[in-house]
Amino acid sequence: MSGKAEQPRASILQSLLRVPLLPILLVLLLAAAMRIVGAAHNPIWSDEAWNMWATAGGFAEMFERLAANHHPPAYFLALDLWPALAGESRLALRFLSIAAGMLAVAVVYRTGKDHFGTAAGISAALVFAVFEQPVYYGQSVRHYAWLLLAEALALWTFLRVLRRPTWARLAAYMAAVAFVAYSVYIGLIAVAAQAGVGLGVWRAPLKSKVRLLLAYAGALALFAPWLIAALPGALRKIEAGAITGYINSIPTTADGLLKMIDILLGGQAALGLGLIALAVSSRFLSAEKSERRSERQAFLAVLACSVGALAAMALLNLRVGVVSERTLAFMTPAFALALGAGAAGLPPRARNALIGALTVWAILTPQHIIPRLNSDLAAETVAAGYSAGDLVVLEAGFDDMAFAYEMEARLPETDRRVFPTFYEYDYPDDPAMLAALDAEIAGSDRAWLVYWNVPQRLHERLRDAGFTRTERTRIPVGVDDPLYLIYPEIEISRYVRLEPEAAPRRFGDALTLLEAITPERVPIGGAFSVDLIWQAETPLPLDYTTALFVLDEGGATRLESFGPDAANPATQWPTEVPVIDTHRFRLPPELAPGRYALYAVVYWYQTVDTPLTVGGERGAVVGEIVVK
């Protein structure tokens, strides 16, 4: 037995906590979780769908659409190429933003650590990982997550230039500024704030400031090709008065300023302002302030890119309505760093408790940046009764493309027809869109109309084309927001065109089958509907059952459906008026491709063995479907 006392071994947890990069790795895992959770399930919203539409026609058309709508191309180029690698699921499309958001968290950490200490870096990265703005845009098919990454990189490289302006650092800053310009133009406000600090406050030799000017000139040269291409479209927008604000813009009023601050500080304006005030006090006002000029200089740049940029936005907003949730987003990296710098001045226990509570609060608080409509539920409603070849008409204005994405994700690919009617997407004007719609309607026997958020007019157009509405369903929009009080529901209607056969079939003495509307093709395992158009010649004395059977080539029954709907029994059918009796089927996956007959029978439940005869037979083949 050894005489030496056995030393206690450190626990695994204690060992892990000594790993230098573990804290930021944990923060990055949290950032990933915050952005991935829900990304695969949250429905696509209108602006996301616009981005997808903008990249749908190839490079040349994409550049034309972007130039006409004052959007720079960096993110859109990636979005155009990305589906070929990852697919077009919600998660795949949103991964470009998820990855950019995680990289931005890492850059925010590195910036805070380099200039204000590790505690500041971790605190800044943590709040940026969970705050509402970065998370929301970090899981959207939008270019704002790329803007946040570009802003984080620009601020990081700028502070490195202030510390030591080597040519390599200036080149990196030049590239970051160009990245900002190619992401979203409004991010250049923060770049202007950096230029003000670099040229006016930075204590450096004149030659260093000249080099900084050369970096800006280089960024402008990199951006010049797109600027030349996009400038005419931007000028046309300005002349037309299109760049005058947003539908949900925030005014520069006392309440509006408070809302802006609340958005940028994760819903905790008082706490956030307190931390920023603490950082200002410790670096500029305290008698014991740090003598490190570089740290004070770096914090001044952070203030310029956060508080200074916000002040500039608020003033500009008095003339042009540019402030909204999305346009505020570019300041979030700088605000996170300001909060981290303030938290670093607290004792460790107080800092950990405060930042921990702020993190938990942000995680548990629901997000309310841009409302997401229940476009996915609308698509599910259509899919439940959709047959291949049905025409789906979207009448939802700018939200047409969001509904279109959800429809195409749920409806079968076979003969799928989805028609957005917001003409600004694909038509030169409204008459051109209506002409294209009329051509689609003319070739359809059944149609769906998904309506929301615009004055309704297409119901009348379908009715004038001979369609009759058979069903109407309303689902809630799904958001509690004043913008949607006028149209709180999405209306989904189903239509059939009545074109009676030349020789309608008579079942019994009083019931005539005018028409059977069937799909031409049904995919294997797919769903379909058959509409039987009946007319009672005299009042029906019994509640007859209408049975429809799917028969294989050998005459065996493979599927069956019974009608009419319990809410509309046969004894209540009006006389000499067409009644639509819908039968829905879903093919079992094992059903082989081929032709299947549709066989209709009408009977009363107490005399099921003696159905109403048609042409002397117990039933009649009323159509067929092709499964392929």
Side-chain angles (χ1 to χ4, degrees):
M1 182 174 179
S2 172
K4 295 182 179 180
E6 193 170 321
Q7 296 294 325
R9 295 181 179 178
S11 67
I12 295 177
L13 179 60
Q14 289 174 324
S15 299
L16 286 174
L17 289 175
R18 294 194 185 102
V19 178
L21 293 179
L22 180 64
I24 186 55
L25 290 176
L26 294 176
V27 172
L28 288 171
L29 286 174
L30 177 61
M34 292 292 293
R35 286 153 179 77
I36 292 172
V37 171
H41 305 292
N42 292 331
I44 294 292
W45 60 283
S46 55
D47 282 2
E48 289 182 296
W50 190 93
N51 282 21
M52 294 154 59
W53 168 80
T55 61
F59 279 179
E61 191 168 355
M62 177 184 70
F63 288 138
E64 181 180 343
R65 290 172 175 176
L66 294 178
N69 287 274
H70 57 84
H71 288 310
Y75 171 81
F76 293 89
L77 280 168
L79 183 62
D80 184 69
L81 299 171
W82 182 247
L85 298 174
E88 296 186 0
S89 69
R90 294 194 195 106
L91 182 59
L93 292 172
R94 288 168 173 161
F95 187 78
L96 288 172
S97 294
I98 293 170
M102 293 179 63
L103 286 172
V105 171
V107 175
V108 166
Y109 162 75
R110 180 60 186 266
T111 305
K113 178 180 180 296
D114 285 352
H115 298 278
F116 311 118
T118 301
I122 290 294
S123 299
L126 193 54
V127 297
F128 189 78
V130 300
F131 269 12
E132 191 174 50
Q133 283 271 72
V135 169
Y136 187 87
Y137 291 112
Q139 57 175 199
S140 296
V141 189
R142 293 289 280 156
H143 37 297
Y144 290 100
W146 280 44
L147 172 63
L148 300 189
L149 174 59
E151 291 288 358
L153 287 169
L155 184 53
W156 175 49
T157 53
F158 177 68
L159 296 184
R160 287 170 61 83
V161 167
L162 295 188
R163 179 173 285 181
R164 189 158 57 91
T166 64
W167 284 112
R169 293 185 176 191
L170 285 161
Y173 180 55
M174 176 187 70
V177 170
F179 185 22
V180 171
Y182 272 106
S183 296
V184 183
Y185 304 133
I186 202 162
L188 293 173
I189 291 176
V191 174
Q194 293 162 15
V197 172
L199 299 175
V201 180
W202 184 28
R203 296 183 181 180
L206 180 60
K207 66 177 183 180
S208 295
K209 296 194 176 188
V210 170
R211 290 177 179 179
L212 182 60
L213 282 173
L214 290 174
Y216 288 126
L220 179 60
L222 291 174
F223 185 59
W226 178 250
L227 182 62
I228 294 169
L231 190 58
L235 291 176
R236 285 194 297 269
K237 284 273 188 178
I238 294 172
E239 291 173 1
I243 307 179
T244 57
Y246 298 85
I247 190 173
N248 57 340
S249 59
I250 304 169
T252 301
T253 61
D255 289 341
L257 286 170
L258 183 59
K259 183 176 181 180
M260 297 176 203
I261 295 169
D262 199 59
I263 290 170
L264 288 166
L265 297 179
Q268 291 291 329
L271 178 58
L273 290 175
L275 286 174
I276 294 173
L278 177 63
V280 170
S281 174
S282 63
R283 285 164 179 79
F284 297 107
L285 304 178
S286 173
E288 299 178 359
K289 64 184 179 183
S290 171
E291 293 301 325
R292 291 180 59 193
R293 177 191 303 174
S294 61
E295 182 176 331
R296 293 198 301 276
Q297 204 164 241
F299 186 69
L300 185 61
V302 168
L303 280 181
C305 294
S306 53
V307 178
L310 178 59
M313 286 277 288
L315 291 173
L316 180 62
N317 199 49
L318 293 171
R319 296 293 302 272
V320 182
V322 296
V323 175
S324 69
E325 286 88 348
R326 72 192 71 179
T327 59
L328 290 172
F330 76 92
M331 291 174 269
T332 53
F335 268 100
L337 285 164
L339 295 178
L346 295 171
R349 288 188 178 180
R351 177 179 63 247
N352 294 341
L354 188 62
I355 296 299
L358 189 59
T359 301
V360 171
W361 188 90
I363 292 172
L364 298 180
T365 302
Q367 296 181 11
H368 295 292
I369 297 294
I370 301 293
R372 294 182 183 273
L373 306 180
N374 281 334
S375 53
D376 53 343
L377 297 184
E380 290 173 7
T381 301
V382 173
Y386 182 84
S387 294
D390 287 2
L391 173 64
V392 179
V393 180
L394 304 176
E395 189 181 17
F398 192 72
D399 291 274
D400 271 2
M401 283 301 171
F403 283 101
Y405 175 87
E406 298 295 342
M407 295 291 168
E408 292 173 359
R410 286 167 175 76
L411 301 182
E413 293 184 10
T414 303
D415 295 334
R416 183 177 62 208
R417 301 166 65 206
V418 179
F419 191 96
T421 60
F422 188 58
Y423 73 87
E424 289 189 19
Y425 281 121
D426 294 301
Y427 302 94
D429 52 33
D430 192 54
M433 180 279 294
L434 291 174
L437 175 61
D438 288 341
E440 290 287 339
I441 290 174
S444 305
D445 292 322
R446 291 190 294 211
W448 298 78
L449 177 60
V450 179
Y451 165 73
W452 181 73
N453 195 37
V454 291
Q456 192 175 71
R457 58 177 179 158
L458 298 183
H459 166 71
E460 299 297 329
R461 203 170 193 89
L462 287 166
R463 190 185 66 179
D464 293 344
F467 282 85
T468 298
R469 179 157 51 192
T470 64
E471 301 172 20
R472 180 163 57 180
T473 304
R474 292 184 174 93
I475 62 174
V477 171
V479 293
D480 181 16
D481 190 283
L483 290 173
Y484 303 102
L485 293 179
I486 300 175
Y487 298 96
E489 294 178 320
I490 302 166
E491 184 178 279
I492 301 150
S493 300
R494 183 176 181 270
Y495 296 80
V496 298
R497 188 202 300 272
L498 304 183
E499 295 180 350
E501 298 174 357
R505 281 162 281 214
R506 178 70 67 88
F507 284 70
D509 295 328
L511 194 59
T512 301
L513 180 64
L514 300 177
E515 184 184 5
I517 303 175
T518 65
E520 294 182 2
R521 293 177 294 276
V522 181
I524 295 173
F528 69 98
S529 300
V530 176
D531 292 291
L532 303 179
I533 314 302
W534 300 100
Q535 181 172 291
E537 306 301 334
T538 62
L540 298 177
L542 302 172
D543 283 328
Y544 290 110
T545 296
T546 59
L548 191 62
F549 302 95
V550 178
L551 309 180
D552 61 20
E553 293 181 354
T557 298
R558 305 305 301 269
L559 295 169
E560 58 188 21
S561 172
F562 301 94
D565 187 270
N568 188 27
T571 52
Q572 295 183 16
W573 289 0
T575 58
E576 299 183 350
V577 175
V579 175
I580 300 169
D581 173 29
T582 301
H583 294 258
R584 290 191 169 95
F585 300 90
R586 177 166 291 280
L587 300 180
E590 64 273 12
L591 190 69
R595 295 181 177 272
Y596 293 83
L598 300 170
Y599 187 76
V601 178
V602 179
Y603 63 89
W604 185 45
Y605 78 100
Q606 290 189 4
T607 56
V608 65
D609 293 331
T610 56
L612 300 182
T613 59
V614 49
E617 301 292 334
R618 294 167 57 89
V621 174
V622 297
E624 71 171 14
I625 59 168
V626 176
V627 178
K628 60 183 299 184

